[in-house]
Protein backbone atom coordinates (compact mmCIF):
# COMPACT_ATOMS: atom_id res chain seq x y z
CA UNK A 1 0.00 0.00 0.00
CA UNK A 2 1.55 3.36 -1.03
CA UNK A 3 2.68 5.50 1.90
CA UNK A 4 2.80 8.91 0.23
CA UNK A 5 0.93 11.05 -2.28
CA UNK A 6 2.33 13.79 -4.50
CA UNK A 7 0.60 16.85 -5.91
CA UNK A 8 1.73 19.47 -8.42
CA UNK A 9 0.34 22.97 -8.51
CA UNK A 10 1.00 26.49 -9.67
CA UNK A 11 4.04 28.19 -8.07
CA UNK A 12 2.68 30.36 -5.26
CA UNK A 13 -0.31 28.08 -4.62
CA UNK A 14 1.61 25.67 -2.33
CA UNK A 15 0.41 27.24 0.99
CA UNK A 16 -3.19 27.25 -0.30
CA UNK A 17 -2.87 23.59 -1.34
CA UNK A 18 -1.33 22.62 2.01
CA UNK A 19 -4.04 24.48 3.91
CA UNK A 20 -6.90 22.86 1.99
CA UNK A 21 -5.43 19.37 2.56
CA UNK A 22 -4.93 20.16 6.25
CA UNK A 23 -8.62 21.11 6.42
CA UNK A 24 -10.03 18.19 4.44
CA UNK A 25 -7.51 15.46 5.37
CA UNK A 26 -5.88 16.37 8.71
CA UNK A 27 -4.49 12.82 8.85
CA UNK A 28 -2.24 13.48 5.81
CA UNK A 29 1.18 14.77 6.97
CA UNK A 30 3.03 17.26 4.81
CA UNK A 31 6.39 15.63 3.94
CA UNK A 32 8.41 17.40 1.23
CA UNK A 33 8.10 20.29 -1.17
CA UNK A 34 9.75 22.21 -3.93
CA UNK A 35 8.02 25.12 -5.66
CA UNK A 36 4.99 23.65 -7.43
CA UNK A 37 5.54 20.11 -6.04
CA UNK A 38 4.48 18.63 -2.69
CA UNK A 39 4.27 15.23 -1.04
CA UNK A 40 2.23 14.10 1.96
CA UNK A 41 2.59 10.99 4.13
CA UNK A 42 -0.60 8.98 4.34
CA UNK A 43 -1.98 7.53 7.56
CA UNK A 44 -1.54 3.81 8.09
CA UNK A 45 -4.32 1.70 6.61
CA UNK A 46 -5.59 4.65 4.54
CA UNK A 47 -7.34 2.34 2.08
CA UNK A 48 -7.29 4.95 -0.70
CA UNK A 49 -8.20 3.56 -4.13
CA UNK A 50 -5.92 4.24 -7.12
CA UNK A 51 -8.46 6.75 -8.46
CA UNK A 52 -9.05 8.53 -5.12
CA UNK A 53 -10.42 12.07 -5.28
CA UNK A 54 -8.21 14.54 -3.39
CA UNK A 55 -11.07 17.10 -3.57
CA UNK A 56 -8.53 19.86 -4.04
CA UNK A 57 -8.89 23.17 -5.87
CA UNK A 58 -5.17 23.79 -6.23
CA UNK A 59 -3.71 20.34 -7.04
CA UNK A 60 -3.41 20.29 -10.80
CA UNK A 61 -2.26 16.66 -10.72
CA UNK A 62 -1.85 14.16 -7.90
CA UNK A 63 -1.37 10.47 -7.25
CA UNK A 64 0.49 7.99 -5.08
CA UNK A 65 4.17 8.76 -4.70
CA UNK A 66 6.75 5.99 -4.94
CA UNK A 67 9.79 8.22 -4.35
CA UNK A 68 12.62 9.88 -6.25
CA UNK A 69 15.14 8.63 -8.75
CA UNK A 70 18.38 10.57 -9.06
CA UNK A 71 21.24 10.41 -11.50
CA UNK A 72 23.01 12.06 -14.40
CA UNK A 73 22.10 9.84 -17.35
CA UNK A 74 18.47 9.75 -18.51
CA UNK A 75 18.77 6.07 -19.58
CA UNK A 76 19.82 4.91 -16.11
CA UNK A 77 17.18 7.10 -14.45
CA UNK A 78 14.52 5.72 -16.84
CA UNK A 79 15.40 2.12 -15.92
CA UNK A 80 15.13 3.07 -12.24
CA UNK A 81 11.67 4.57 -12.87
CA UNK A 82 10.38 1.16 -14.00
CA UNK A 83 12.10 -0.60 -11.09
CA UNK A 84 10.26 1.70 -8.65
CA UNK A 85 6.98 1.34 -10.53
CA UNK A 86 7.20 -2.44 -10.31
CA UNK A 87 5.17 -5.02 -12.19
CA UNK A 88 1.78 -3.27 -11.90
CA UNK A 89 -0.28 -2.57 -15.02
CA UNK A 90 0.30 0.70 -16.87
CA UNK A 91 -1.90 2.00 -19.67
CA UNK A 92 -0.26 5.41 -20.00
CA UNK A 93 2.95 7.25 -19.12
CA UNK A 94 2.67 10.88 -17.97
CA UNK A 95 5.88 12.89 -17.68
CA UNK A 96 6.00 16.59 -16.82
CA UNK A 97 8.22 19.11 -15.12
CA UNK A 98 7.15 21.05 -12.05
CA UNK A 99 6.35 24.66 -12.97
CA UNK A 100 9.40 26.81 -13.57
CA UNK A 101 7.88 30.16 -12.58
CA UNK A 102 4.66 31.66 -11.23
CA UNK A 103 1.89 31.50 -13.84
CA UNK A 104 1.91 34.74 -15.81
CA UNK A 105 5.18 36.11 -14.40
CA UNK A 106 7.21 37.34 -17.40
CA UNK A 107 4.52 35.66 -19.56
CA UNK A 108 5.28 32.18 -18.14
CA UNK A 109 2.71 29.50 -19.02
CA UNK A 110 2.75 25.98 -17.53
CA UNK A 111 3.57 23.48 -20.29
CA UNK A 112 4.98 20.08 -21.12
CA UNK A 113 8.62 21.11 -21.50
CA UNK A 114 11.20 19.73 -23.92
CA UNK A 115 13.04 18.17 -20.92
CA UNK A 116 9.85 16.30 -20.01
CA UNK A 117 9.42 15.09 -23.59
CA UNK A 118 13.04 13.88 -23.64
CA UNK A 119 12.67 12.13 -20.27
CA UNK A 120 9.45 10.46 -21.43
CA UNK A 121 11.19 9.14 -24.54
CA UNK A 122 13.91 7.60 -22.34
CA UNK A 123 11.27 6.08 -20.00
CA UNK A 124 9.39 4.52 -22.92
CA UNK A 125 12.67 3.18 -24.35
CA UNK A 126 13.43 1.54 -21.00
CA UNK A 127 9.90 0.14 -20.64
CA UNK A 128 10.06 -3.62 -20.00
CA UNK A 129 6.60 -4.01 -21.60
CA UNK A 130 7.31 -3.41 -25.29
CA UNK A 131 3.59 -3.59 -26.13
CA UNK A 132 2.86 -0.71 -23.72
CA UNK A 133 5.76 1.33 -25.11
CA UNK A 134 4.54 0.78 -28.68
CA UNK A 135 0.94 1.70 -27.76
CA UNK A 136 1.93 5.16 -26.48
CA UNK A 137 1.52 8.02 -28.89
CA UNK A 138 2.38 11.60 -27.91
CA UNK A 139 3.34 13.24 -24.60
CA UNK A 140 0.16 15.36 -24.75
CA UNK A 141 -2.23 12.46 -25.42
CA UNK A 142 -5.19 11.66 -23.23
CA UNK A 143 -5.14 8.47 -21.12
CA UNK A 144 -8.31 6.40 -21.31
CA UNK A 145 -10.68 6.52 -18.37
CA UNK A 146 -9.67 3.70 -15.99
CA UNK A 147 -6.07 3.49 -17.27
CA UNK A 148 -3.35 3.01 -14.67
CA UNK A 149 -0.91 5.84 -15.29
CA UNK A 150 2.79 5.93 -14.46
CA UNK A 151 3.61 9.49 -13.35
CA UNK A 152 7.10 10.94 -13.49
CA UNK A 153 7.69 14.53 -12.41
CA UNK A 154 10.96 16.29 -13.18
CA UNK A 155 11.52 18.00 -9.83
CA UNK A 156 15.19 18.93 -10.33
CA UNK A 157 17.38 18.49 -13.43
CA UNK A 158 18.82 15.29 -11.96
CA UNK A 159 15.97 14.23 -9.73
CA UNK A 160 12.63 12.86 -10.86
CA UNK A 161 9.74 11.74 -8.73
CA UNK A 162 7.85 8.56 -9.61
CA UNK A 163 4.21 7.93 -8.83
CA UNK A 164 0.99 6.58 -10.24
CA UNK A 165 -2.72 7.28 -10.41
CA UNK A 166 -5.74 5.87 -12.16
CA UNK A 167 -7.27 8.12 -14.83
CA UNK A 168 -10.80 9.14 -13.98
CA UNK A 169 -11.69 12.84 -14.15
CA UNK A 170 -11.01 14.68 -17.45
CA UNK A 171 -7.89 16.46 -16.13
CA UNK A 172 -6.43 13.26 -14.62
CA UNK A 173 -6.14 11.90 -18.17
CA UNK A 174 -3.58 14.53 -19.19
CA UNK A 175 0.08 14.70 -18.14
CA UNK A 176 0.33 17.05 -15.16
CA UNK A 177 -3.44 17.63 -15.32
CA UNK A 178 -2.74 20.13 -18.10
CA UNK A 179 -5.42 20.35 -20.75
CA UNK A 180 -3.43 21.85 -23.63
CA UNK A 181 -5.18 22.60 -26.89
CA UNK A 182 -3.86 23.97 -30.18
CA UNK A 183 -6.03 26.68 -31.73
CA UNK A 184 -6.87 26.56 -35.46
CA UNK A 185 -7.21 30.36 -35.59
CA UNK A 186 -5.05 32.75 -33.54
CA UNK A 187 -6.86 33.28 -30.21
CA UNK A 188 -7.97 36.84 -29.50
CA UNK A 189 -6.83 36.46 -25.89
CA UNK A 190 -5.64 33.85 -23.36
CA UNK A 191 -9.25 33.49 -22.25
CA UNK A 192 -9.75 31.30 -25.33
CA UNK A 193 -7.55 28.57 -23.76
CA UNK A 194 -9.13 29.08 -20.37
CA UNK A 195 -12.68 28.51 -21.57
CA UNK A 196 -11.81 25.34 -23.53
CA UNK A 197 -10.05 23.98 -20.44
CA UNK A 198 -12.88 25.06 -18.11
CA UNK A 199 -15.48 23.30 -20.27
CA UNK A 200 -13.38 20.12 -20.58
CA UNK A 201 -12.77 20.04 -16.81
CA UNK A 202 -16.29 20.92 -15.67
CA UNK A 203 -18.15 18.89 -18.30
CA UNK A 204 -21.02 21.39 -18.05
CA UNK A 205 -23.71 19.85 -20.27
CA UNK A 206 -24.20 22.92 -22.47
CA UNK A 207 -26.27 21.88 -25.50
CA UNK A 208 -25.16 23.05 -28.96
CA UNK A 209 -26.59 26.43 -29.97
CA UNK A 210 -26.97 27.66 -26.35
CA UNK A 211 -27.33 31.33 -25.43
CA UNK A 212 -24.47 32.27 -23.11
CA UNK A 213 -23.68 35.55 -21.34
CA UNK A 214 -19.97 36.41 -21.20
CA UNK A 215 -19.35 38.94 -18.39
CA UNK A 216 -16.02 40.73 -18.84
CA UNK A 217 -15.92 39.74 -22.51
CA UNK A 218 -13.27 42.12 -23.92
CA UNK A 219 -11.19 41.70 -25.98
CA UNK A 220 -13.00 38.47 -26.88
CA UNK A 221 -11.18 35.12 -26.50
CA UNK A 222 -14.04 33.58 -24.49
CA UNK A 223 -16.72 34.66 -26.95
CA UNK A 224 -14.52 33.56 -29.85
CA UNK A 225 -14.38 30.04 -28.34
CA UNK A 226 -18.15 29.98 -27.66
CA UNK A 227 -18.91 31.07 -31.23
CA UNK A 228 -16.54 28.38 -32.60
CA UNK A 229 -18.53 25.84 -30.58
CA UNK A 230 -21.75 27.00 -32.25
CA UNK A 231 -23.21 28.97 -29.32
CA UNK A 232 -24.70 32.46 -29.19
CA UNK A 233 -22.73 34.91 -27.05
CA UNK A 234 -23.89 38.05 -25.27
CA UNK A 235 -20.69 39.91 -24.40
CA UNK A 236 -20.87 42.44 -21.58
CA UNK A 237 -17.90 44.73 -21.08
CA UNK A 238 -17.33 48.50 -21.18
CA UNK A 239 -14.06 47.86 -23.04
CA UNK A 240 -13.63 47.41 -26.76
CA UNK A 241 -14.24 44.00 -28.36
CA UNK A 242 -12.19 42.59 -31.21
CA UNK A 243 -13.79 43.16 -34.62
CA UNK A 244 -13.43 39.39 -35.18
CA UNK A 245 -16.24 38.69 -32.69
CA UNK A 246 -18.17 41.93 -33.27
CA UNK A 247 -18.73 40.90 -36.91
CA UNK A 248 -20.08 37.48 -35.97
CA UNK A 249 -23.85 37.08 -36.51
CA UNK A 250 -24.26 35.10 -33.26
CA UNK A 251 -22.52 37.75 -31.12
CA UNK A 252 -24.07 40.77 -29.37
CA UNK A 253 -22.06 43.32 -27.41
CA UNK A 254 -23.49 45.40 -24.57
CA UNK A 255 -20.77 47.94 -23.98
CA UNK A 256 -21.65 48.37 -20.32
CA UNK A 257 -20.65 47.29 -16.84
CA UNK A 258 -22.67 44.31 -15.57
CA UNK A 259 -24.41 46.59 -13.04
CA UNK A 260 -25.67 48.81 -15.88
CA UNK A 261 -27.31 45.99 -17.87
CA UNK A 262 -31.11 45.70 -17.65
CA UNK A 263 -31.85 42.31 -16.17
CA UNK A 264 -34.37 41.50 -18.90
CA UNK A 265 -31.40 41.14 -21.30
CA UNK A 266 -30.78 37.81 -19.52
CA UNK A 267 -34.26 36.36 -20.07
CA UNK A 268 -33.20 34.10 -22.97
CA UNK A 269 -29.79 33.30 -21.51
CA UNK A 270 -29.28 29.86 -19.91
CA UNK A 271 -25.57 29.80 -19.15
CA UNK A 272 -23.36 32.42 -17.50
CA UNK A 273 -19.61 32.83 -17.88
CA UNK A 274 -17.65 35.50 -16.06
CA UNK A 275 -14.03 36.55 -16.41
CA UNK A 276 -14.01 40.05 -14.92
CA UNK A 277 -10.88 41.63 -13.50
CA UNK A 278 -12.53 42.32 -10.13
CA UNK A 279 -12.56 40.86 -6.59
CA UNK A 280 -14.46 37.56 -6.08
CA UNK A 281 -17.23 39.26 -4.05
CA UNK A 282 -17.91 41.64 -6.94
CA UNK A 283 -18.16 38.74 -9.43
CA UNK A 284 -20.46 36.86 -7.04
CA UNK A 285 -22.65 39.98 -6.46
CA UNK A 286 -22.97 40.37 -10.25
CA UNK A 287 -23.85 36.68 -10.75
CA UNK A 288 -26.32 36.71 -7.83
CA UNK A 289 -28.18 39.74 -9.16
CA UNK A 290 -28.74 37.85 -12.44
CA UNK A 291 -29.40 34.24 -11.39
CA UNK A 292 -31.75 34.98 -8.50
CA UNK A 293 -34.28 36.87 -10.66
CA UNK A 294 -37.55 34.99 -11.04
CA UNK A 295 -37.71 35.59 -14.82
CA UNK A 296 -34.12 34.40 -15.50
CA UNK A 297 -33.30 30.68 -15.86
CA UNK A 298 -29.57 30.04 -15.64
CA UNK A 299 -28.73 26.31 -15.70
CA UNK A 300 -25.01 26.59 -15.08
CA UNK A 301 -22.07 28.95 -14.66
CA UNK A 302 -18.31 29.16 -15.01
CA UNK A 303 -16.90 32.02 -12.96
CA UNK A 304 -13.28 33.13 -12.82
CA UNK A 305 -12.61 34.24 -9.23
CA UNK A 306 -9.50 36.42 -9.07
CA UNK A 307 -7.48 35.71 -5.92
CA UNK A 308 -6.21 39.29 -5.78
CA UNK A 309 -4.46 38.14 -2.62
CA UNK A 310 -3.64 34.49 -1.90
CA UNK A 311 -5.47 34.75 1.45
CA UNK A 312 -8.72 34.82 -0.58
CA UNK A 313 -8.11 31.08 -1.08
CA UNK A 314 -9.25 30.56 2.53
CA UNK A 315 -12.70 31.84 1.52
CA UNK A 316 -13.32 29.36 -1.30
CA UNK A 317 -15.67 27.37 0.96
CA UNK A 318 -17.72 30.56 1.53
CA UNK A 319 -17.83 31.32 -2.21
CA UNK A 320 -19.04 27.77 -2.91
CA UNK A 321 -21.64 28.02 -0.12
CA UNK A 322 -22.91 31.31 -1.47
CA UNK A 323 -23.40 29.90 -4.99
CA UNK A 324 -25.14 26.80 -3.58
CA UNK A 325 -27.55 29.08 -1.71
CA UNK A 326 -28.81 30.35 -5.10
CA UNK A 327 -30.07 26.84 -5.91
CA UNK A 328 -27.04 25.35 -7.70
CA UNK A 329 -26.87 21.70 -6.59
CA UNK A 330 -23.34 21.11 -7.82
CA UNK A 331 -20.55 23.63 -7.26
CA UNK A 332 -16.92 22.72 -7.76
CA UNK A 333 -13.64 24.62 -8.13
CA UNK A 334 -10.22 24.17 -9.71
CA UNK A 335 -7.18 26.23 -10.43
CA UNK A 336 -6.91 25.49 -14.13
CA UNK A 337 -3.57 25.18 -15.91
CA UNK A 338 -4.54 28.36 -17.77
CA UNK A 339 -5.57 30.21 -14.61
CA UNK A 340 -3.16 32.71 -13.17
CA UNK A 341 -3.68 33.88 -9.56
CA UNK A 342 -7.35 32.94 -9.84
CA UNK A 343 -9.58 29.88 -9.80
CA UNK A 344 -12.50 28.65 -11.85
CA UNK A 345 -15.82 27.92 -10.13
CA UNK A 346 -18.32 25.72 -11.97
CA UNK A 347 -21.97 25.50 -10.90
CA UNK A 348 -24.88 23.48 -12.18
CA UNK A 349 -28.57 23.38 -11.31
CA UNK A 350 -30.61 20.20 -11.31
CA UNK A 351 -29.06 16.89 -10.34
CA UNK A 352 -30.57 15.22 -13.40
CA UNK A 353 -28.31 17.39 -15.57
CA UNK A 354 -25.21 16.59 -13.63
CA UNK A 355 -22.34 14.98 -15.55
CA UNK A 356 -21.27 13.59 -12.15
CA UNK A 357 -24.19 11.19 -11.85
CA UNK A 358 -22.16 8.86 -14.02
CA UNK A 359 -19.17 8.92 -11.64
C1 LIG B 1 -9.29 39.43 -18.12
S1 LIG B 1 -10.23 40.58 -19.04
C2 LIG B 1 -11.37 39.48 -19.80
C3 LIG B 1 -10.87 38.71 -20.96
C4 LIG B 1 -12.03 38.18 -21.75
N1 LIG B 1 -12.77 37.14 -21.03
C5 LIG B 1 -11.67 37.66 -23.10
O1 LIG B 1 -12.28 36.68 -23.50
O2 LIG B 1 -10.82 38.23 -23.79
C6 LIG B 1 -11.21 41.36 -17.82
C7 LIG B 1 -12.30 42.24 -18.36
O3 LIG B 1 -13.21 42.51 -17.30
C8 LIG B 1 -13.82 43.74 -17.64
N2 LIG B 1 -14.59 44.26 -16.50
C9 LIG B 1 -14.12 44.72 -15.33
N3 LIG B 1 -15.17 45.12 -14.56
C10 LIG B 1 -16.30 44.88 -15.26
C11 LIG B 1 -17.69 45.07 -15.01
N4 LIG B 1 -18.10 45.58 -13.88
N5 LIG B 1 -18.57 44.72 -15.96
C12 LIG B 1 -18.14 44.18 -17.13
N6 LIG B 1 -16.85 43.99 -17.42
C13 LIG B 1 -15.94 44.33 -16.50
C14 LIG B 1 -12.65 44.61 -18.09
O4 LIG B 1 -13.10 45.69 -18.87
C15 LIG B 1 -11.82 43.59 -18.88
O5 LIG B 1 -12.07 43.71 -20.26
Amino acid sequence: MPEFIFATCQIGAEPALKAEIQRSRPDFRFAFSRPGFLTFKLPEGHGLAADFDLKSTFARAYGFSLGPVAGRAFDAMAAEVWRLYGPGPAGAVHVWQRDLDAAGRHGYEPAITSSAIEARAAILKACPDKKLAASQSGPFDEAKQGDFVLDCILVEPNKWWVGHHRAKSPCSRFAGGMFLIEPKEPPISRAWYKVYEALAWSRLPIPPGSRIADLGSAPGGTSQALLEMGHWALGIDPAEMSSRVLQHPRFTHLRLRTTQVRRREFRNIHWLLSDMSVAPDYTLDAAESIVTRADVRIHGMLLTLKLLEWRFSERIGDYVGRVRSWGFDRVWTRQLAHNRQEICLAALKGRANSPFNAD
Side-chain angles (χ1 to χ4, degrees):
M1 193 173 288
E3 290 177 36
F4 291 88
I5 59 162
F6 73 85
T8 51
C9 67
Q10 198 180 95
I11 289 186
E14 304 85 355
L17 172 57
K18 262 195 221 172
E20 66 179 355
I21 292 184
Q22 258 156 25
R23 277 193 296 271
S24 67
R25 302 301 306 246
D27 49 345
F28 290 14
R29 292 267 165 267
F30 167 66
F32 171 82
S33 77
R34 296 291 299 130
F37 176 82
L38 299 94
T39 67
F40 296 85
K41 184 153 173 37
L42 297 168
E44 254 176 62
H46 55 76
L48 287 179
D51 57 1
F52 71 96
D53 184 352
L54 191 57
K55 295 191 167 56
S56 158
T57 301
F58 293 98
R60 207 188 282 148
Y62 59 87
F64 291 118
S65 169
L66 299 171
V69 305
R72 296 210 171 275
F74 272 23
D75 289 353
M77 290 169 81
E80 186 60 11
V81 167
W82 288 108
R83 198 195 59 74
L84 265 185
Y85 188 74
V93 175
H94 286 175
V95 183
W96 70 103
Q97 191 162 12
R98 69 176 169 85
D99 280 10
L100 299 170
D101 206 338
R105 193 192 294 156
H106 312 303
Y108 175 74
E109 300 280 350
I112 302 295
T113 58
S114 53
S115 304
I117 293 173
E118 210 186 312
R120 185 174 184 271
I123 292 168
L124 288 179
K125 199 166 140 219
C127 178
D129 177 350
K130 296 302 163 206
K131 244 169 79 186
L132 164 69
S135 72
Q136 299 295 309
S137 29
F140 306 100
D141 288 336
E142 201 174 352
K144 292 192 288 296
Q145 184 159 5
D147 268 354
F148 288 92
V149 182
L150 180 157
D151 293 307
C152 180
I153 305 110
L154 279 57
V155 174
E156 304 293 354
N158 296 312
K159 197 170 203 176
W160 302 344
W161 228 271
V162 184
H164 63 94
H165 73 278
R166 193 164 189 196
K168 187 175 184 186
S169 65
C171 291
S172 71
R173 298 191 215 168
F174 291 95
M178 287 182 264
F179 179 83
L180 304 172
I181 173 172
E182 278 302 311
K184 289 196 188 80
E185 303 285 327
I188 293 167
S189 66
R190 293 186 64 260
W192 184 92
Y193 296 95
K194 212 153 68 170
V195 72
Y196 269 99
E197 184 183 0
L199 289 168
W201 156 68
S202 65
R203 293 182 284 173
L204 283 187
I206 306 182
S210 289
R211 294 186 181 268
I212 305 179
D214 175 9
L215 313 184
S217 57
T222 303
S223 285
Q224 177 190 12
L226 298 176
L227 296 167
E228 281 171 6
M229 294 171 200
H231 301 305
W232 298 71
L234 174 67
I236 296 165
D237 200 308
E240 199 175 337
M241 295 294 299
S242 156
S243 58
R244 285 162 60 198
V245 285
L246 282 175
Q247 285 162 3
H248 200 288
R250 281 183 277 109
F251 180 78
T252 307
H253 186 200
L254 299 177
R255 198 164 179 178
L256 298 167
R257 293 190 175 280
T258 47
T259 44
Q260 298 166 319
V261 178
R262 289 169 305 188
R263 290 315 184 232
R264 62 187 159 87
E265 301 283 1
F266 295 99
R267 274 192 307 214
N268 293 322
I269 299 287
H270 298 305
W271 302 89
L272 191 70
L273 268 52
S274 170
D275 187 26
M276 292 187 285
S277 45
V278 294
D281 285 322
Y282 187 105
T283 297
L284 294 171
D285 289 347
E288 181 172 18
S289 71
I290 298 165
V291 305
T292 54
R293 275 187 63 114
D295 56 346
V296 175
R297 295 261 179 279
I298 300 290
H299 303 319
M301 304 191 288
L302 283 176
L303 309 178
T304 300
L305 299 179
K306 302 268 175 197
L307 304 179
L308 301 176
E309 296 173 36
W310 277 108
R311 66 183 168 84
F312 287 3
S313 62
E314 291 159 22
R315 297 195 49 212
I316 292 173
D318 301 336
Y319 303 148
V320 167
R322 190 169 165 197
V323 175
R324 276 186 197 280
S325 75
W326 309 333
F328 289 86
D329 310 292
R330 289 278 328 194
V331 184
W332 58 118
T333 53
R334 177 172 170 88
Q335 186 161 55
L336 304 170
H338 291 101
N339 275 144
R340 291 189 168 169
Q341 195 171 317
E342 60 194 16
I343 60 162
C344 182
L345 178 148
L348 188 63
K349 266 190 186 166
R351 286 186 187 281
N353 274 333
S354 172
F356 293 90
N357 287 345
D359 280 355

